[in-house]
Amino acid sequence: PPHGFLLHLVIVESQHLLLAKQRLTRTRTRSLLLSSPLRLAIHHPTPRKEETLLVMGVKHVVCLKWSEAATKEKIEAVTAALNQLPSKIPEIKAYNVGPDLQIAEGNSDFAIVAEFENEESFKTYAEHPEHKKVIIELIKPMLQQRVAVQLQV
């Protein structure tokens, strides 16, 4: 299309780099910009006119190992309570929780992966009373080990 331009997307996630080049219309590009935390370089039809937009977010990854106190019912209760947090904490952009698939040996038992617009949004989530309640009442009583990392996306 005459109003199209070349868009280069660089997405870094889980130590994998994906470079996608695609011709998009302005409308489709605007919706893409609003829906994903990406590093974007936008190349307009004029070769020397280049605009770079950097959109950064925070990804929070937690791996849990359960103690002997963990039961199937208690793990299901943790999963259900964590899955309620996105409806209670608007700063959460994306949220995935669940038990390990047991595909490889030596893994943790449970994982939580959350995405936030920025560091401030993550801190709001971390200190939110509903989040703390799940940790204190459901997770800590059966927690053996916790490992976490926050990384820039």
Side-chain angles (χ1 to χ4, degrees), residues 4 10-11 17 24-26 46-48 64 96-98 103 109:
V10 179
I11 306 168
L17 178 66
L24 300 170
T25 65
R26 286 183 181 165
T46 311
R48 293 191 178 174
L64 307 174
N96 298 83
V97 303
I103 296 170
D109 299 318

Side-chain angles (χ1 to χ4, degrees), residues 13-153:
E13 188 171 319
S14 302
Q15 299 179 350
H16 295 286
L17 178 66
L18 171 65
L19 176 61
K21 294 181 181 180
Q22 196 170 1
R23 198 162 230 348
L24 300 170
T25 65
R26 286 183 181 165
T27 305
R28 287 163 65 199
T29 302
R30 268 192 224 110
S31 64
L32 181 64
L33 285 171
L34 296 173
S35 65
S36 302
L38 304 172
R39 297 172 189 260
L40 300 177
I42 302 171
H43 298 274
H44 297 278
T46 311
R48 293 191 178 174
K49 189 174 185 179
E50 184 177 300
E51 175 187 347
T52 300
L53 173 63
L54 185 60
V55 181
M56 294 182 285
V58 173
K59 184 174 283 196
H60 174 57
V61 181
V62 180
C63 295
L64 307 174
K65 255 205 193 301
W66 301 127
S67 70
E68 296 290 324
T71 64
K72 181 181 177 185
E73 292 78 20
K74 289 179 181 180
I75 295 168
E76 288 173 354
V78 167
T79 304
L82 288 171
N83 279 324
Q84 292 297 313
L85 292 181
S87 66
K88 298 174 180 182
I89 306 172
E91 287 79 9
I92 299 172
K93 287 181 63 176
Y95 208 65
N96 298 83
V97 303
D100 180 58
L101 297 177
Q102 299 179 345
I103 296 170
E105 289 186 37
N107 287 355
S108 293
D109 299 318
F110 196 89
I112 303 161
V113 180
E115 288 190 34
F116 304 90
E117 188 72 34
N118 51 43
E119 190 176 321
E120 191 174 309
S121 294
F122 165 72
K123 288 178 180 178
T124 300
Y125 159 81
E127 295 300 319
H128 196 282
E130 291 293 330
H131 176 242
K132 286 185 167 194
K133 180 180 176 182
V134 173
I135 293 169
I136 293 166
E137 294 180 8
L138 300 175
I139 294 175
K140 280 193 176 181
M142 60 181 192
L143 183 62
Q144 177 182 329
Q145 181 183 16
R146 176 188 180 273
V147 178
V149 65
Q150 293 78 44
L151 57 128
Q152 182 179 326
V153 292

